[in-house]
């Protein structure tokens, strides 16, 4: 299969919302190229979440293609409370933020959802509201009240998010709402869980204790503390999301592209799944075509090495959800036709050699499989995988040909939908090399990926029932 045959390596994640929850639009999204479904628990009820998972599984069965389901937990988001009406903010004027219960007693106070704010901030810290549209500087702490001065004029609205750049917020990584949503998500059998506002590896570890092996974990990088602890977080998680919305408020905006490149480079070095998110085709929320700047943004994320790109408002509440996916597909296929697009030419912030997964036994086997595939001009390569780790290791080394990822685990089959360059195959039978190899061989012949007599590479972990033991490579003939 050549690039011109339409094989797309990078994956597309679609946020499902009012614009895409109906069965017809959902199936059109899948046909257009949606690989993974994102349930944003910040805006999705448990009833709607249950319906989306059922729709995803039904659609996967109908199309014969896996659809990964990603449950995105809201996390400890600090927000403005309920205001009687929108509040005009005057530059240089003094305001007071207070817990919602305290604000109820005094109409002049601005309510907020985080009652411990006064314990975490100090004079001189900044509060950025509504993605930085309204900024305040802390002047003093008065009990539970935070006295601030407005840095510029704006309009303050209820339930808008509050960012605290550089402040080590002590709110727990999982709220009670998150725990309820997580319980439902795991009961529904989601494939991935995204953890919001990760600050350190321990946040991921705490979630892992609740999730166990029922789902893979995506750490959302949207805090300054997370950027500082990036490598440790990647080791603890199964993937990372470059959540550029909050990250762009936490950091100076000119820093975001540099941090994005660092995150995506490290995701390949650690064989973590890297997802680039937020405002990728934002104008298509209302417009039928993307701007040229948005197209360049998607293209640059692909050139940076992202495994997946994500649509948020575009598919959740936008007027053109299907067209947004089609536009994303067009950009991906065009960039992937460029020879050498996946080659890394940068040594920016590389981890020490002993940190890179490529320097492990499993990484070396995966790298050798990709190298052998290129030397033999093989039309595809095969991974036999139980947990998906073998496929992720191979994907991190960016093979130029399709990767047939054979697994006997339904959960892994759907998770593989989010793995760069993978063609997942669900094997149903007695687990063993010969039978699983034959399944891949039949798939390749039936799909026209190659012709009889061509060589191809198979890599696996032996014994098959032990996850994470990629240690086997073999050359076979179609």
């Amino acid at each position: 299969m050549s690039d011109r045959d339409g094989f797309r390596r990078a994956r597309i994640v679609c946020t499902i919302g009012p614009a895409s929850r109906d069965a017809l639009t959902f199936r059109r999204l899948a046909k257009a190229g949606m690989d993974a479904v994102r349930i944003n628990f910040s805006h999705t009820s448990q009833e709607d979440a249950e319906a989306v998972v059922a729709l995803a599984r039904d659609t996967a069965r109908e199309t014969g293609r896996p659809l990964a389901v990603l449950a995105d937990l809201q996390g400890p988001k600090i927000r403005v409370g309920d205001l009687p009406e929108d509040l005009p903010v005057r530059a240089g004027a003094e305001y007071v933020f207070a817990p919602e219960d305290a604000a109820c007693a005094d109409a002049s106070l601005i309510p907020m959802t985080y009652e411990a704010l006064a314990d975490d901030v100090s004079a001189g810290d900044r509060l950025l509201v509504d993605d930085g549209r309204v900024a305040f500087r802390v002047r003093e702490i008065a009990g539970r009240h935070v006295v601030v001065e407005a840095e510029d004029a704006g309009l303050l609205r209820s339930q808008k998010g509050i960012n605290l750049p550089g402040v080590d917020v002590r709110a727990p990584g999982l709220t009670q709402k998150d725990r309820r949503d997580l319980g439902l998500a795991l009961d529904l059998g989601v494939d991935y869980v995204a953890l919001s506002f990760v600050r350190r590896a321990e946040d991921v570890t705490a979630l892992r204790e609740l999730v166990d092996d029922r789902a893979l974990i995506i750490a959302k990088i949207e805090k300054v503390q997370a950027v500082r602890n990036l490598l440790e977080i990647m080791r603890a998680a199964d993937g990372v999301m470059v959540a550029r919305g909050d990250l762009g408020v936490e950091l100076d905006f000119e820093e975001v592209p540099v941090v994005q490149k660092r995150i995506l480079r490290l995701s390949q070095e650690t064989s973590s799944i890297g997802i680039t998110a937020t405002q990728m085709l934002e104008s298509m929320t209302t417009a039928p075509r993307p701007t040229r700047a948005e197209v360049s943004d998607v293209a640059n994320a692909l050139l940076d090495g992202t495994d997946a790109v994500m649509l948020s408002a575009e598919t959740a509440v936008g007027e053109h959800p299907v067209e947004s996916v089609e536009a994303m597909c067009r950009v991906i296929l065009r960039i992937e036709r460029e020879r050498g697009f996946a080659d890394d030419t940068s040594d920016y912030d590389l981890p020490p050699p002993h940190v890179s997964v490529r320097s492990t036994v499993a990484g070396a086997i995966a790298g050798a499989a990709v190298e052998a595939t290129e030397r033999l001009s093989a039309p595809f390569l095969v991974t036999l995988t139980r947990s998906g780790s073998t496929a992720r290791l191979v994907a991190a080394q960016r093979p130029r040909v399709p990767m047939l990822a054979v697994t006997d685990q339904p959960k892994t089959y759907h998770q593989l939908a989010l793995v760069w360059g993978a063609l997942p195959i669900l094997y149903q039978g007695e687990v063993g090399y010969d039978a699983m190899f034959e399944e891949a061989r039949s798939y390749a012949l039936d799909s026209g990926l190659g012709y009889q007599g061509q060589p191809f590479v198979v890599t696996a972990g032996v014994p098959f029932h032990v996850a994470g033991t990629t240690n086997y490579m073999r050359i076979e003939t179609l």
Side-chain angles (χ1 to χ4, degrees):
M1 178 183 289
S2 70
D3 292 335
R4 298 185 183 277
D5 292 324
F7 174 62
R8 176 170 49 80
R9 294 159 175 80
R11 302 315 196 195
I12 298 174
V13 183
C14 295
T15 304
I16 303 302
S20 50
R21 274 198 295 262
D22 65 282
L24 177 59
T25 303
F26 190 95
R27 287 179 171 85
R28 289 181 65 204
L29 290 175
K31 184 177 180 180
M34 175 174 66
D35 299 296
V37 173
R38 174 183 176 238
I39 300 172
N40 183 3
F41 275 107
S42 294
H43 304 289
T44 304
S45 68
Q46 292 202 346
E47 292 76 14
D48 285 337
E50 189 170 354
V52 169
V53 174
L55 192 53
R57 298 313 186 209
D58 289 344
T59 302
R61 282 191 291 270
E62 292 169 8
T63 61
R65 290 180 55 243
L67 270 175
V69 178
L70 168 66
D72 193 338
L73 303 178
Q74 177 176 291
K77 182 77 171 180
I78 303 173
R79 298 181 183 276
V80 174
D82 291 325
L83 297 166
E85 56 186 11
D86 292 349
L87 175 65
V89 174
R90 294 179 293 110
E94 184 178 283
Y95 298 89
V96 178
F97 283 86
E100 288 179 297
D101 57 348
C104 290
D106 187 340
S108 66
L109 303 182
I110 299 173
M112 59 183 174
T113 60
Y114 181 47
E115 63 180 27
L117 181 66
D119 298 327
D120 291 345
V121 298
S122 304
D125 289 337
R126 300 180 77 209
L127 279 68
L128 304 181
V129 183
D130 194 8
D131 289 338
R133 291 180 176 87
V134 186
F136 300 92
R137 180 79 64 175
V138 176
R139 293 184 60 181
E140 63 175 308
I141 310 300
R144 300 173 69 200
H145 294 180
V146 178
V147 182
V148 300
E149 179 182 324
E151 292 189 334
D152 41 34
L155 195 64
L156 201 63
R157 296 184 172 92
S158 299
Q159 297 302 311
K160 291 301 181 180
I162 302 174
N163 287 86
L164 307 169
V167 175
D168 191 6
V169 177
R170 285 172 281 186
L174 287 173
T175 66
Q176 289 303 313
K177 170 179 164 52
D178 292 333
R179 291 177 181 273
R180 291 192 298 270
D181 292 338
L182 176 63
L184 173 72
L186 294 176
D187 288 344
L188 294 175
V190 303
D191 306 299
Y192 294 86
V193 175
L195 182 61
S196 298
F197 305 110
V198 174
R199 289 158 289 185
R200 54 190 67 86
E202 289 78 9
D203 296 335
V204 179
T205 303
L207 177 61
R208 181 81 67 188
E209 292 176 357
L210 299 174
V211 172
D212 196 21
D213 61 353
R214 290 180 286 175
L216 299 181
I217 295 176
I218 303 293
K220 294 171 67 176
I221 308 301
E222 50 195 336
K223 300 286 290 181
V224 172
Q225 295 93 326
V227 176
R228 294 172 184 157
N229 299 314
L230 192 55
L231 189 55
E232 292 77 11
I233 289 171
M234 285 186 169
R235 286 170 170 165
D238 301 296
V240 289
M241 181 186 294
V242 190
R244 303 181 303 179
D246 281 283
L247 189 61
V249 180
E250 290 273 327
L251 296 172
D252 293 333
F253 57 78
E254 69 272 17
E255 293 294 326
V256 175
V258 180
V259 171
Q260 173 177 308
K261 290 178 183 294
R262 182 188 308 163
I263 294 171
L264 294 176
R265 183 71 182 93
L266 285 176
S267 74
Q268 283 186 250
E269 289 296 319
T270 57
S271 75
S272 300
I273 294 172
I275 304 172
T276 306
T278 317
Q279 298 177 333
M280 300 218 76
L281 298 179
E282 181 79 3
S283 69
M284 291 193 73
T285 304
T286 55
R289 285 174 294 279
T291 67
R292 304 305 179 264
E294 289 168 340
V295 171
S296 294
D297 180 40
V298 174
N300 279 314
L302 297 167
L303 294 168
D304 287 342
T306 194
D307 292 275
V309 286
M310 194 178 91
L311 295 166
S312 299
E314 302 94 329
T315 52
V317 297
E319 298 174 12
H320 308 282
V322 177
E323 292 83 354
S324 297
V325 176
E326 291 172 342
M328 196 71 90
C329 276
R330 287 178 58 183
V331 178
I332 293 171
L333 288 170
R334 177 62 187 89
I335 294 301
E336 291 182 353
R337 283 205 304 271
E338 286 299 301
R339 194 67 177 168
F341 82 96
D343 292 344
D344 176 65
T345 57
S346 169
D347 60 358
Y348 183 83
D349 263 11
L350 285 178
H354 66 276
V355 170
S356 174
V357 73
R358 301 176 190 226
S359 300
T360 65
V361 171
I365 294 291
V370 173
E371 177 71 16
T373 296
E374 293 186 3
R375 292 192 180 197
L376 294 170
S377 297
F380 59 90
L381 62 83
V382 175
T383 65
L384 309 181
T385 182
R386 182 176 179 84
S387 66
S389 63
T390 298
R392 292 194 295 272
L393 274 171
V394 172
Q397 312 209 33
R398 297 300 191 254
R400 299 183 183 277
V401 296
M403 172 179 60
L404 306 188
V406 186
T407 182
D408 67 320
Q409 300 294 308
K411 170 70 71 177
T412 302
Y413 172 68
H414 287 289
Q415 290 172 342
L416 287 168
L418 199 51
V419 173
W420 191 96
L423 287 173
I425 300 172
L426 181 59
Y427 170 76
Q428 296 173 311
E430 186 174 349
V431 174
Y433 178 89
D434 291 337
M436 296 177 76
F437 154 73
E438 189 57 40
E439 183 85 4
R441 184 177 182 276
S442 297
Y443 181 97
L445 289 172
D446 293 344
S447 302
L449 289 178
Y451 53 83
Q452 288 189 342
Q454 281 187 297
F456 63 95
V457 178
V458 181
T459 186
V462 179
F464 292 114
H465 65 275
V466 178
T469 56
T470 306
N471 57 7
Y472 182 90
M473 185 185 84
R474 183 169 173 175
I475 310 297
E476 298 281 5
T477 302
L478 193 59

